Amino acid sequence: MSDAPETPPILLLNGPNLNMLGVRQPEVYGADTLEDVVESTRRTAAEFGLTVRALQTNHEGEMIDAVHAARGEIGGIVINPGGWTHTSVALADALVVPEVPVVEVHISNVHAREPFRHHSYISPIAAGVIVGCGTAGYEFAVRRIAALMGR
C-alpha cells in the first residue's frame, strides 16, 4: 500500500430543479438526465485520476451544509446553482469556506435569457464560469478544476 496521500475528490453540486433534467424544458436544457451528467463528470474526472462526489438538492440549507462539511475533504467544486445563482448570497458566502477552486456551470446561455438571469452571486468567487455549452459544460468544468488541482 502506498503512503502517498489520496487525491481529494471534486464536489459536483446541482441546485434546485436540476433533478428534473431531461424532463423540464428539454428545448432549453436538453435530453440528458442528471444521472447522465454525473456519469459524464465521473468519466472525465477519471481521465485525471480524480473522483467525483455528487449532490443535488432543492434545499438551500442542505447545499450550504454540504459545502461546509466538504472543507478539507475536496480539491475543487463544480456547481450549477440553478436559481440560487441569482438569489443566494448565503450560498456564495459558503462556497469560499472550503478554500478550493470553484467553477460555475449553466447549461443554457443565461445571458441570452430573462434579465434576472444575467446576474450571478457565484461568478465573482468562481475561478471559471461555463455558460451555454449544454451538459458538456460540466465536462469542461471538471477539466478546468483538474488543471487548477495540478492534474
Side-chain angles (χ1 to χ4, degrees):
M1 181 166 214
S2 171
D3 288 336
E6 186 176 315
T7 302
I10 295 170
L11 182 60
L12 171 63
L13 298 172
N14 281 284
N17 300 311
L18 289 160
N19 57 309
M20 300 306 294
L21 281 177
V23 174
R24 176 180 171 236
Q25 294 178 283
E27 69 280 4
V28 175
Y29 301 107
D32 288 342
T33 66
L34 182 60
E35 293 78 21
D36 296 332
V37 166
V38 171
E39 180 56 34
S40 72
T41 58
R42 287 190 168 135
R43 271 194 316 271
T44 303
E47 294 175 20
F48 300 93
L50 298 168
T51 60
V52 172
R53 183 189 308 170
L55 169 72
Q56 185 282 324
T57 182
N58 294 315
H59 305 281
E60 187 175 14
E62 183 179 353
M63 181 165 290
I64 290 169
D65 288 344
V67 170
H68 291 173
R71 182 178 169 86
E73 296 183 3
I74 59 167
I77 298 172
V78 172
I79 183 169
N80 182 338
W84 295 328
T85 303
H86 326 291
T87 64
S88 186
V89 173
L91 180 58
D93 286 348
L95 286 168
V96 301
V97 170
E99 299 177 328
V100 297
V102 173
V103 175
E104 178 183 0
V105 175
H106 297 285
I107 296 168
S108 68
N109 180 355
V110 294
H111 303 291
R113 295 182 65 194
E114 304 92 336
F116 77 87
R117 294 186 194 275
H118 300 178
H119 178 265
S120 170
Y121 284 103
I122 309 306
S123 294
I125 58 96
V129 180
I130 300 170
V131 176
C133 296
T135 57
Y138 288 91
E139 296 170 33
F140 303 152
V142 168
R143 292 180 187 287
R144 182 64 185 141
I145 289 290
L148 293 169
M149 291 174 66
R151 302 303 283 207

